[in-house]
Amino acid sequence: MKKVLIAALLIVGLSSFAQERRERPNRAEMENLTPEQRNQLIVKKMTLELDLNAKQQEQISQIITEQSAKRETMKAERKASSEKPTTDERFAMKNKMLDEQIAMKAKMKSILSPEQYTKWEALKEKNQEKRGNRKEGPRGERPE
């Protein structure tokens, strides 16, 4: 009887774990998309979440395209350099990233209505929390 109970619990546990894994978006599928396709999906998602009009969609599409290009260049530069960045280089990269985030906020504030901007901030915060939780290690430590 104990063996049947243990087997049943094991099956239930594994099936619920497998279902949770399927709900996550497939990262490999997103990486196979072209940058234009990814950008288009981002704009459409923002349109649904923020109720953007056509003019706002066009402006945000331009911003996202610029951001993607910058991100790809930075990624290529990091891959080209096999060394770990020095403390000063890391500081410069972080400083540049924060400057770009400030510029992005200003651009979004000029494009979106106050209600849309507030909602965008909340969505951004929610996504940041999700990313932060995913990057943590098994003991709550962030990998280096």
Side-chain angles (χ1 to χ4, degrees):
M1 189 67 174
K2 283 185 180 179
K3 289 181 183 179
V4 173
L5 181 62
I6 291 172
L9 287 174
L10 185 62
I11 290 172
V12 169
L14 289 175
S15 65
S16 66
F17 178 73
Q19 288 174 355
E20 288 177 25
R21 292 288 289 171
R22 276 190 230 128
E23 289 176 10
R24 291 175 129 189
N26 191 345
R27 192 173 191 98
E29 288 177 5
M30 286 299 283
E31 289 175 357
N32 290 336
L33 298 176
T34 65
E36 293 81 21
Q37 290 172 328
R38 279 193 303 260
N39 295 346
Q40 190 176 21
L41 291 176
I42 291 169
V43 171
K44 285 190 178 192
K45 187 175 178 184
M46 287 179 75
T47 300
L48 288 172
E49 292 170 341
L50 303 174
D51 195 28
L52 302 175
N53 61 36
K55 183 179 178 185
Q56 288 173 324
Q57 288 178 32
E58 181 61 34
Q59 292 171 328
I60 288 177
S61 177
Q62 290 173 355
I63 291 173
I64 290 174
T65 303
E66 291 170 9
Q67 266 190 332
S68 295
K70 286 180 187 176
R71 195 175 309 118
E72 290 300 319
T73 354
M74 288 175 65
K75 192 175 180 181
E77 288 173 3
R78 272 195 318 260
K79 282 187 178 183
S81 173
S82 60
E83 306 170 0
K84 269 191 159 182
T86 64
T87 307
D88 291 335
E89 290 171 336
R90 204 172 305 146
F91 171 76
M93 286 189 293
K94 186 72 173 175
N95 197 23
K96 182 180 176 184
M97 185 181 72
L98 291 172
D99 287 341
E100 289 176 5
Q101 286 178 0
I102 291 168
M104 175 68 168
K105 270 186 150 183
K107 288 177 187 176
M108 293 301 281
K109 202 168 199 172
S110 69
I111 294 171
L112 300 175
S113 70
E115 299 84 25
Q116 289 172 325
Y117 182 77
T118 305
K119 194 170 184 181
W120 176 72
E121 284 284 319
L123 289 169
K124 208 171 74 159
E125 185 70 31
K126 182 179 166 187
N127 289 337
Q128 200 169 22
E129 286 175 12
K130 282 183 185 177
R131 278 195 311 272
N133 292 340
R134 197 171 51 210
K135 288 183 181 179
E136 288 182 355
R139 288 175 254 150
E141 300 167 352
R142 295 190 84 173
E144 291 292 322

